[in-house]
Amino acid sequence: MLFRSLTTKQKADLKRKMSSKEMIHKIDQRIALLAYDISKHYRDNFQGTGLKGQLATASRSSAILYRNYINDYEMVTCEVIISKPDTRVSGDTIEEEDLPMVNRFWKEMMDRFGNEDDYVKQIKAAFGREDGPEILIVVGKLLTGFDEPRNTVLYIDKKLEDHSILQAIARVNRLFTGKDYGFIIDYRGVLGSLNDAMKIYDSLAGYDAADVQLEGAVIDTHTEVAKLPQLHSDLWAIFREVKNKHDNESMERHLAPEDRRHDFYEALTDFSKMLAVALSTEHFYQDTSKEQINRYKEDLKNFRSMRASVQQRYAETVDFTRYEKQISKMMDSHIQAPNVGVVTELVNIFDTEAFDAEVEKREGSAAKADTIASRVKKTVTEKMEEDPVFYKKFGDLVQQTIDDYRQGRIDEAEYLRQVTDCMETIRRGHEEDVPSDLEGHREAQAYFGIINEVLFSNDENAHNVAESPAGYSRDSLQAEAIANIALEVEDIIGQHKIIDWVSNDDVNRDIENSLDDYLYSLRNKSGMSLTTEDMDVIMQDCISIAKKLTGA
């Protein structure tokens, strides 16, 4: 009834055109279904990671329909880039150029951006930003000549042939932080022609496929996901010596050696990345039992919790920013209620209340002691330049306590007691036997350690000090005279402190000259065997400490 005015020949021609694959691929309900599938796939696997998607369509009208449906579903954000439509109407063709929808879209873009160049430039720039549109829909304009490293997944809904297939694949194979794979989601069976495309490309280029690195340009996800069981086994193999693998304390203690923790982190990252790939494919759910999938998910959840715990326990900072967004996204989408604590900042041992509360979260004396010991070691490393003698002594003492516990020379209770004593001393900033005259003099306390170490580095100097005209014994010198020397050094340096003195070469030379004069005078009066090298050590170390504490 609709086409009763057409001739038999015209009706046959119309049937031929309208029943082609391209016309069927354009039908509204098909695009609506794929738009939902694409939105859900991107949302569940890439949204929030900073990685982007591209959708290649066959026509302007299809691209606009995709945009409309994706916007209606409100799962992801998208933009469309097309070339200017040809507004000429041809009576014997069925093309999208003469569809009102395409012309309306073009007018919308021109009203929004002003001209075609700015329209393309601004959308491309926005797509390259993390907060920009998540999916870019194109027809042909950007499919083979657009490089955006964030572009990670290509959804193909158009016919591609020969080298165009390889150029399209290249859109998602650019390097980007945290991106190990480019993903191709093929709705047209395009990749079935990949081998032929490589051969054609090879003959055109005059190179062997391997020479232009085409072999392995595309790997079926079946091949990659097949590695998952081995990666899962490799992760568990790190704990092969642990008898009870349900005992979290034993598992965490097994990770005490730094090299073993490094192997654990590497294995966990490899397993996590591959599970993320697997969970983004349909065949993984078809080829793997529900029980095994649940085990993978549960193990990932538990090992991630363990990783967070041992990072706190052994006071280390590990940079997982490269993969954190992708793995967290995968867990949010595919693993329910993960018991994971993301460590953003270690609690400082000087924040007494907060750190003590953190320690109390640990179960068992050994876990508490490990947390304290590791944090003290980290503090010692960070503050070593502020008081080298003091912090080195307690860094060595904590390490010896750790070794004693791990080798069975002390029990858990003694381990906890000793590291707690070290922590309290570190918090106090000085040992209990530091002379009372130095109370409130943070710099002088640090100078005290330097001077004491230099003066009593050998017995000859100690003997000369004991026989000095001042009549000090070794103990009394340590208790009184060195404190006075340290206070004098603090006063000399303090007299020269002006704004930006740390980087002022003239001021630093004046400080060195003043300290040099003082130490020579001290040697002459006391009879101490201070060599020129000894005095240089005292001067340089004390000045370095003063600079460090000034910037602290």
Side-chain angles (χ1 to χ4, degrees):
M1 290 174 65
L2 288 173
F3 306 109
R4 61 183 180 274
S5 63
L6 298 179
T7 66
T8 302
K9 184 176 180 181
Q10 288 173 327
K11 289 178 183 179
D13 188 42
L14 182 60
K15 288 180 181 179
R16 177 180 57 78
K17 290 178 179 177
M18 296 302 295
S19 62
S20 69
K21 283 186 177 181
E22 285 305 315
M23 294 307 300
I24 293 173
H25 287 145
K26 292 180 183 180
I27 63 174
D28 192 282
Q29 288 303 307
R30 177 182 178 276
I31 290 178
L33 181 64
L34 294 189
Y36 181 83
D37 192 60
I38 290 167
S39 297
K40 187 176 184 300
H41 183 271
Y42 180 88
R43 181 197 66 188
D44 290 349
N45 296 287
F46 300 103
Q47 192 171 63
T49 66
L51 304 177
K52 302 299 183 74
Q54 193 170 356
L55 167 57
T57 65
S59 66
R60 295 177 177 89
S61 56
S62 294
I64 296 166
L65 277 175
Y66 267 114
R67 182 195 75 149
N68 294 343
Y69 278 116
I70 289 173
N71 286 340
D72 287 345
Y73 297 140
E74 296 183 340
M75 296 187 211
V76 299
T77 58
C78 69
E79 290 282 4
V80 173
I81 291 184
I82 60 173
S83 56
K84 182 178 180 180
D86 186 348
T87 56
R88 294 173 299 173
V89 178
S90 176
D92 60 353
T93 62
I94 301 174
E95 298 290 349
E96 75 275 10
E97 284 87 349
D98 59 356
L99 291 179
M101 177 178 62
V102 177
N103 292 322
R104 284 196 303 271
F105 172 81
W106 187 257
K107 183 178 184 304
E108 177 190 338
M109 294 299 103
M110 293 306 98
D111 291 344
R112 180 177 165 189
F113 296 101
N115 57 67
E116 183 175 2
D117 287 343
D118 286 344
Y119 155 58
V120 174
K121 181 179 179 181
Q122 290 186 41
I123 289 182
K124 285 171 62 176
F127 184 64
R129 298 194 303 267
E130 184 171 353
D131 61 349
E134 295 165 314
I135 294 179
L136 184 62
I137 305 171
V138 300
V139 179
K141 192 177 182 70
L142 298 182
L143 186 57
T144 59
F146 174 53
D147 285 324
E148 171 48 55
R150 291 184 185 274
N151 198 1
T152 299
V153 55
L154 172 64
Y155 301 97
I156 300 178
D157 186 25
K158 70 175 295 180
K159 185 178 181 180
L160 294 173
E161 295 179 339
D162 302 338
H163 64 280
S164 294
I165 300 176
L166 300 176
Q167 289 179 308
I169 290 169
R171 296 314 99 209
V172 294
N173 277 349
R174 297 295 183 256
L175 295 176
F176 188 74
T177 301
K179 173 180 169 183
D180 292 295
Y181 304 91
F183 292 86
I184 307 292
I185 311 299
D186 179 12
Y187 294 105
R188 290 289 193 102
V190 167
L191 296 182
S193 305
L194 182 62
N195 290 336
D196 291 337
M198 285 185 173
K199 291 176 183 177
I200 294 172
Y201 190 89
D202 173 34
S203 63
L204 292 173
Y207 294 102
D208 182 72
D211 291 336
V212 292
Q213 297 183 340
L214 295 178
E215 296 294 343
V218 177
I219 301 172
D220 193 326
T221 51
H222 288 81
T223 303
E224 289 298 286
V225 173
K227 301 175 183 177
L228 186 61
Q230 184 60 54
L231 293 174
H232 184 242
S233 297
D234 292 344
L235 180 56
W236 274 107
I238 293 171
F239 301 92
R240 63 169 61 91
E241 295 90 350
V242 180
K243 294 181 179 179
N244 182 2
K245 294 179 175 56
H246 297 289
D247 182 357
N248 286 337
E249 174 63 17
S250 297
M251 296 281 276
E252 290 189 14
R253 286 171 60 182
H254 183 69
L255 294 175
E258 185 176 357
D259 58 343
R260 191 175 293 158
R261 289 200 305 279
H262 179 270
D263 292 342
F264 168 62
Y265 298 148
E266 289 286 330
L268 178 56
T269 298
D270 291 343
F271 172 67
S272 301
K273 289 190 296 180
M274 191 56 67
L275 183 58
V277 173
L279 291 172
S280 69
T281 69
E282 184 178 4
H283 61 76
F284 177 63
Y285 296 92
Q286 297 172 343
D287 301 339
T288 310
S289 69
K290 183 177 180 180
E291 292 75 15
Q292 185 61 43
I293 292 175
N294 288 338
R295 184 186 178 191
Y296 286 146
K297 291 179 177 181
E298 189 66 19
D299 284 352
L300 176 62
K301 179 178 69 174
N302 292 335
F303 279 127
R304 292 248 310 167
S305 295
M306 185 183 299
R307 189 194 78 183
S309 180
V310 297
Q311 279 183 255
Q312 291 181 330
R313 180 168 183 162
Y314 298 110
E316 61 182 2
T317 301
V318 183
D319 184 9
F320 288 99
T321 54
R322 181 179 180 189
Y323 299 109
E324 198 68 37
K325 286 185 177 180
Q326 292 93 302
I327 302 305
S328 294
K329 176 62 187 177
M330 181 263 289
M331 295 187 73
D332 289 341
S333 297
H334 301 287
I335 300 176
Q336 297 303 312
N339 181 26
V340 177
V342 178
V343 181
T344 56
E345 185 176 353
L346 296 175
V347 181
N348 194 310
I349 66 169
F350 296 105
D351 186 349
T352 305
E353 184 175 343
F355 182 72
D356 290 348
E358 184 66 31
V359 171
E360 283 305 310
K361 294 178 184 178
R362 301 296 172 198
E363 296 182 4
S365 297
K368 288 180 170 64
D370 278 339
T371 301
I372 294 172
S374 300
R375 211 66 56 87
V376 167
K377 285 180 62 180
K378 182 178 178 63
T379 300
V380 164
T381 300
E382 293 172 346
K383 291 184 168 290
M384 183 65 74
E385 294 181 13
E386 295 180 13
D387 192 340
V389 175
F390 174 72
Y391 285 110
K392 184 179 186 306
K393 174 180 178 179
F394 281 90
D396 292 344
L397 186 59
V398 168
Q399 185 59 56
Q400 182 61 52
T401 304
I402 293 172
D403 294 341
D404 287 346
Y405 170 68
R406 290 179 181 168
Q407 294 172 23
R409 290 192 288 268
I410 58 176
D411 61 17
E412 292 184 8
E414 181 62 17
Y415 179 30
L416 179 59
R417 188 193 67 77
Q418 289 188 23
V419 296
T420 300
D421 287 346
C422 289
M423 178 180 67
E424 293 301 330
T425 304
I426 292 289
R427 282 174 170 173
R428 191 167 55 244
H430 60 81
E431 298 182 65
E432 291 183 348
D433 58 354
V434 169
S436 58
D437 290 346
L438 297 180
E439 287 289 343
H441 294 271
R442 183 67 189 90
E443 291 183 21
Q445 290 174 15
Y447 303 155
F448 177 88
I450 292 294
I451 297 166
N452 186 67
E453 187 175 63
V454 171
L455 288 179
F456 294 102
S457 58
N458 59 73
D459 291 336
E460 179 183 357
N461 199 36
H463 175 75
N464 289 337
V465 170
E467 299 298 325
S468 69
Y472 289 111
S473 68
R474 174 171 178 170
D475 290 341
S476 64
L477 184 68
Q478 283 181 292
E480 299 177 31
I482 294 181
N484 291 331
I485 295 171
L487 289 168
E488 284 289 342
V489 171
E490 183 183 67
D491 183 58
I492 290 170
I493 296 176
Q495 291 174 19
H496 292 83
K497 287 184 179 180
I498 60 175
I499 296 175
D500 296 329
W501 74 272
V502 171
S503 58
N504 189 315
D505 292 338
D506 291 336
V507 172
N508 278 269
R509 280 193 292 270
D510 288 343
I511 293 174
E512 289 178 1
N513 290 335
S514 296
L515 287 177
D516 192 51
D517 291 343
Y518 170 69
L519 292 174
Y520 269 107
S521 174
L522 180 67
R523 184 183 66 175
N524 294 334
K525 291 179 180 179
S526 67
M528 290 185 292
S529 298
L530 273 174
T531 66
T532 302
E533 290 76 14
D534 291 336
M535 289 187 280
D536 285 341
V537 169
I538 292 173
M539 284 192 301
Q540 296 305 321
D541 285 357
C542 289
I543 293 172
S544 294
I545 289 170
K547 289 180 177 180
K548 183 66 178 178
L549 290 174
T550 297

